[in-house]
Amino acid sequence: MPGSQRALLYILSFIIPVVGIILGIVWMNDQDIEKKTVGKTCLIVSIVSIVLSCICWFAASALSIIPAFMTY
């Protein structure tokens, strides 16, 4: 698999984590070592993307309630 296709799959896995999870699960069960590696990496990238999204969402939520506690 060429490097440009791998990069595209990694970017797609980061932007749309569901695609990376499905791709990772399917390709990790393949016999080809290269596909297994790409599948594992797509799965990891998807999980990192989900975790970062949750952290950003919680941070934005926390920052949005700060003005309610500020008294003048």
Side-chain angles (χ1 to χ4, degrees), residues 9-27:
L9 290 174
Y10 297 154
I11 292 169
L12 191 63
S13 296
F14 187 79
I15 295 172
I16 308 172
V18 175
V19 172
I21 291 171
I22 293 170
L23 189 68
I25 290 171
V26 170
W27 280 15

Side-chain angles (χ1 to χ4, degrees), residues 12-64:
L12 191 63
S13 296
F14 187 79
I15 295 172
I16 308 172
V18 175
V19 172
I21 291 171
I22 293 170
L23 189 68
I25 290 171
V26 170
W27 280 15
M28 281 179 62
N29 295 324
D30 201 302
Q31 296 296 328
D32 187 14
I33 300 296
E34 185 178 357
K35 276 189 177 181
K36 278 187 176 189
T37 305
V38 171
K40 184 178 179 181
T41 306
C42 284
L43 190 60
I44 291 169
V45 168
S46 296
I47 292 170
V48 167
S49 174
I50 290 170
V51 169
L52 285 175
S53 296
C54 289
I55 290 171
C56 289
W57 187 81
F58 283 122
S61 296
L63 291 174
S64 69

